[in-house]
Amino acid sequence: AQSVAQPEDQVNVAEGNPLTVKCTYSVSGNPYLFWYVQYPNRGLQFLLKYITGDNLVKGSYGFEAEFNKSQTSFHLKKPSALVSDSALYFCAVRDGATDSWGKLQFGAGTQVVVTP
Amino acid sequence: DAGVTQSPTHLIKTRGQQVTLRCSPKSGHDTVSWYQQALGQGPQFIFQYYEEEERQRGNFPDRFSGHQFPNYSSELNVNALLLGDSALYLCASSLAAEWDQPQHFGDGTRLSIL
């Protein structure tokens, strides 16, 4: 069975400072990892993914994430946060070895608050 | 290029009633997945449809059922509604042949049970 943990309910950061949102996962096969962002009363918006290849993945709006197989982590990062980055962030995993139909397992989400 | 569209945006029902939610996938997509997002939680996978068949199902009771039409649009039906069914229901679409691409989500239907 696959699972995702986002250990922080909320992350507070000042505008201009680096932002990190943590995610660890558990799958039996190869992990396919995703980050999504959700603004109030909206659906989920895709940010970036790791399927294979380079451990550092670059995505939309200046976000990037680092895949660490030994630590089973996929932390989301942004070098300089903006007030507009304030939103709910979800990490999701799919087991590439056992799941051919794309079921996503989501974490509980991390609320990011960026203060001016 | 139209994205994933869901209707209605909001719905209020009472316990015991039945509800149908609708989803039109992103243009070019052939696979539809449904998720339930309770307040303060991450989305939970309900089921996925491809070629008008349910291909995969999450841990949801049989009260939750679905359908996919030849034009790839989909419906989610919930019978005998419970208070605990109050949630945001999200539809996501993808292309089965592009297994490494992300699912695209609609803005959801907010279902409130009184």
Side-chain angles (χ1 to χ4, degrees), chain B residues 10 20 25 28 68 70 74 85 90 107:
Chain B
H10 295 85
T20 297
Q68 185 179 35
S74 177
D85 295 332
L90 295 165
D107 284 340

Side-chain angles (χ1 to χ4, degrees), chain A residues 36 38 42 49 94 101-102, chain B residues 37 48 99-100 103 106-107:
Chain A
Y36 286 86
Q38 186 176 37
R42 300 298 302 276
K49 64 181 171 118
R94 172 187 158 193
W101 288 105
Chain B
Q37 185 180 12
Q48 186 177 63
W99 53 269
D100 60 340
Q103 296 178 11
D107 284 340

